[in-house]
Amino acid sequence: MTIDIEHRSFDETLAACAAAGGVDLIVTSPPYCDARTASAYGTAEPWREDQYKTLGDACFSAIKPGGHVIVNVDA
């Protein structure tokens, strides 16, 4: 069995999931500006409001009908 691990952005990952026909489950805990520092995630700046919308749109595109998206809100 081969396991590939890739480091890429959420939008690239979810676009690949959508292209593969979708997924049944997405679990995520995006960074929250008021709960964590941007540097903890290797980014130079905190997430902007439009990035949260991009995450939501990407999840909607990648999830199969009847699937579930679980987002951890808060620390």
Side-chain angles (χ1 to χ4, degrees), residues 1-70:
M1 172 168 54
T2 301
I3 298 174
D4 293 325
I5 299 175
E6 298 180 23
H7 181 83
R8 58 186 174 191
S9 66
F10 72 85
D11 49 342
E12 293 172 322
T13 300
L14 292 172
C17 291
V23 295
D24 296 312
L25 176 65
I26 297 171
V27 179
T28 184
S29 179
Y32 296 90
C33 299
D34 61 338
R36 297 180 171 96
T37 62
S39 62
Y41 292 92
T43 59
E45 60 186 44
W47 269 38
R48 301 176 314 274
E49 186 173 328
D50 62 318
Q51 288 173 296
Y52 292 111
K53 181 180 181 330
T54 301
L55 174 61
D57 292 345
C59 287
F60 186 78
S61 295
I63 200 76
K64 289 181 181 177
H68 299 278
V69 177
I70 300 170

